[in-house]
Amino acid sequence: MRAGHEVSPEVEAETRKCNIRHYKRFRHLISKGKKINAAKVAVASEMVRDMWAIGLMVYNENLLT
């Protein structure tokens, strides 16, 4: 993160968990014979939802401070 843009350990833990889940999901889809671009789109749609949720977490943290 850039200086001045720190987030709580809870947000960092959630982002790490999401990153691992996306990696595993992509590998699983590829191993089951899904085409690479289809797997990328599937994982990207999940990433957008997770980005939204993490953004809300950060926003709510900033409201409390």
Side-chain angles (χ1 to χ4, degrees), residues 14-38:
E14 183 67 23
T15 57
R16 242 182 261 109
K17 186 172 78 170
C18 290
N19 192 29
I20 292 167
R21 186 175 64 247
H22 296 147
Y23 174 78
K24 287 181 179 180
R25 176 90 172 126
F26 180 76
R27 289 292 168 200
H28 173 76
L29 291 171
I30 296 300
S31 71
K32 294 297 181 183
K34 195 76 154 170
K35 293 183 179 177
I36 289 181
N37 284 339

